[in-house]
Amino acid sequence: MDERFMKKAIELAKKGGRNTYRNPRVGAVIVKNNRIIATGYHAKFGEKHAERMAIDHCAHPEELHDSTLYVTLEPCTHYGKQPPCVQAIIDSGIKRVVIGQLDPNPIVAHKGAAILKAHQIDVKINCLTSEAESLNKHYNYFYRHKKPYIVLKQALSLDGKIAAEQGKRTAITGKRANQFVHEERLGYQAILVGSGTVLADNPILLPSENSDYPPIRIILDRSGKTLHFEAFKLFEHPEPIWIFTRSALQEEAPDHVRIIQTDDFSIPKIVDDIGQQGVQSIYVEGGAQIHHEFLQAHCYEEVITYIAPKLIGGIGLSAFSGNGMIDRETNLTFKSIERVGEDLRIVSEKVK
């Protein structure tokens, strides 16, 4: 019976989509005498949490007494943009709480369940845990490992080329795959490229769909080649841009551009700096040298590869080509393979 109602809570959580931003997607169901009396979900960053929405949506509040709450994530205990959900649960008269997964955020972890138990509320932990955790993969990884979840994305020809030649923009994949990438970008809190990609492609690096929380565009630019802000299309759009560089700034940066000067240009240090700002996920779009450096540093969890049915040959630039050796072979496992228009999309992840 518990699994039946938790499945409903999981489906409700999905309605939050990408609008929860840095908050997790959470669903809640309140049951009395095996009958659902209220439901809720976290609809948008800063708005009511799932538990409070469900409590507030109960048509007959007296029915909350001695009821059971099913919630996909451990209820919060702290004041943020919303008051703590544990207090709302305690005040409501709910007497049993079934939790999908404990919250890995140290502000909450184990505290929510402990407070509920201290108020004589029966608590069951880890109901359909795998399904509940899949709602918030990046959030869970970020708080468990204290660093962002990193995906390396590439588009290749059949012979493994990403461009016809160094520094030249080459269209690889078809229209549907390009649309898919734009949609995919919305699932990450940052999009990262090297200065070579900016110089060759002059990209905008934004999803095609508008969002209240667009990804931060991050450029790794050791020598400051992109610091001529009037020269590139991405600076024309007001969404945030961070540029990591060793170079001194020669002109005043636009308001939406943040210049981060650093002498330590190692990938682990840059990833740590990004994570310290609360960024939970990074979609690394390249190019080849940047991908090579992330591979060298073992700083990634997945590789998303779009393969087009074309050959480039000749002096074409190969994927993951860069300076230096890789210290060990890295084994991945195929997670999914699908056709997107005329191309293939392959998701591979590190072998755990």
Side-chain angles (χ1 to χ4, degrees):
M1 190 65 72
D2 285 344
E3 291 188 355
R4 170 191 161 197
F5 293 121
M6 185 59 72
K7 285 179 181 178
K8 174 65 175 176
I10 289 168
E11 289 307 308
L12 285 163
K14 293 175 183 178
K15 295 175 70 174
R18 300 182 177 103
N19 295 320
T20 62
Y21 187 41
R22 294 185 180 178
N23 283 354
R25 296 191 292 177
V26 183
V29 173
I30 303 176
V31 175
K32 183 77 170 282
N33 298 326
N34 293 326
R35 179 176 60 87
I36 295 176
I37 60 173
T39 63
Y41 67 97
H42 186 36
K44 190 175 182 180
F45 183 69
E47 294 185 357
K48 284 182 183 179
H49 292 182
E51 304 95 315
R52 190 171 292 275
M53 178 190 282
I55 290 168
D56 290 350
H57 282 187
C58 185
H60 303 286
E62 66 277 4
E63 289 191 296
L64 292 170
H65 290 274
D66 297 325
S67 64
T68 297
L69 168 68
Y70 294 84
V71 61
T72 57
L73 185 69
E74 181 180 13
C76 65
T77 59
H78 61 290
Y79 281 88
K81 292 183 178 296
Q82 293 290 325
C85 290
V86 289
Q87 193 59 53
I89 294 167
I90 293 164
D91 293 344
S92 72
I94 290 170
K95 287 303 179 186
R96 182 171 183 256
V97 177
V98 180
I99 298 170
Q101 71 155 108
L102 292 173
D103 194 331
N105 186 337
I107 296 175
V108 181
H110 297 274
K111 299 181 183 71
I115 290 171
L116 294 175
K117 290 177 182 178
H119 284 80
Q120 289 72 54
I121 294 174
D122 180 28
V123 177
K124 177 180 176 179
I125 298 170
N126 295 336
C127 177
L128 296 183
T129 305
S130 178
E131 293 90 334
E133 290 196 350
S134 69
L135 293 166
N136 301 294
K137 181 171 69 173
H138 298 165
Y139 174 91
N140 288 325
Y141 183 91
F142 178 78
Y143 283 109
R144 286 172 179 159
H145 298 275
K146 299 179 175 60
K147 59 183 179 180
Y149 191 95
I150 297 174
V151 170
L152 310 182
K153 172 262 173 182
Q154 57 183 348
L156 311 178
S157 63
L158 276 177
D159 53 343
K161 308 296 185 181
I162 65 171
E165 59 183 272
Q166 180 81 39
K168 180 177 179 181
R169 185 173 190 270
T170 305
I172 301 289
T173 50
K175 181 177 179 181
R176 180 66 191 105
N178 292 337
Q179 292 171 340
F180 205 99
V181 168
H182 278 265
E183 296 165 10
E184 198 163 67
R185 286 172 176 169
L186 278 173
Y188 298 85
Q189 293 176 9
I191 296 170
L192 185 148
V193 297
S195 59
T197 296
V198 176
L199 293 169
D201 294 353
N202 197 10
I204 296 172
L205 294 178
L206 287 171
S208 54
E209 179 183 335
N210 290 330
S211 169
D212 290 338
Y213 308 104
I216 299 162
R217 294 167 291 168
I218 298 175
I219 304 169
L220 305 191
D221 183 2
R222 286 178 177 82
S223 58
K225 296 175 183 176
T226 64
L227 298 182
H228 302 290
F229 306 113
E230 74 285 348
F232 303 103
K233 290 190 294 186
L234 76 172
F235 295 119
E236 299 171 5
H237 296 259
E239 290 78 7
I241 298 172
W242 296 354
I243 302 177
F244 286 83
T245 186
R246 288 175 174 160
S247 179
L249 190 61
Q250 300 298 316
E251 58 182 288
E252 186 176 353
D255 291 341
H256 65 294
V257 178
R258 178 181 174 188
I259 307 299
I260 303 167
Q261 290 183 296
T262 179
D263 292 327
D264 186 347
F265 225 79
S266 67
I267 294 301
K269 176 60 166 61
I270 288 171
V271 167
D272 183 66
D273 288 346
I274 294 170
Q276 291 294 327
Q277 300 302 311
V279 175
Q280 297 172 9
S281 57
I282 306 174
Y283 188 68
V284 182
E285 293 208 35
Q289 175 65 36
I290 291 297
H291 278 162
H292 175 81
E293 292 179 19
F294 272 85
L295 180 61
Q296 274 186 318
H298 308 286
C299 284
Y300 66 96
E301 296 304 313
E302 290 184 8
V303 178
I304 297 178
T305 304
Y306 291 87
I307 300 180
K310 62 176 62 174
L311 299 171
I312 292 177
I315 60 171
L317 181 63
S318 297
F320 287 95
S321 55
N323 301 320
M325 299 293 292
I326 303 299
D327 63 2
R328 68 176 185 264
E329 182 181 279
T330 302
N331 291 319
L332 305 178
T333 183
F334 289 134
K335 185 178 177 182
S336 66
I337 301 174
E338 62 182 310
R339 186 163 183 165
V340 180
E342 62 203 59
D343 307 307
L344 292 181
R345 178 180 181 269
I346 301 174
V347 179
S348 310
E349 62 182 4
K350 277 183 178 178
V351 176
K352 307 300 182 184

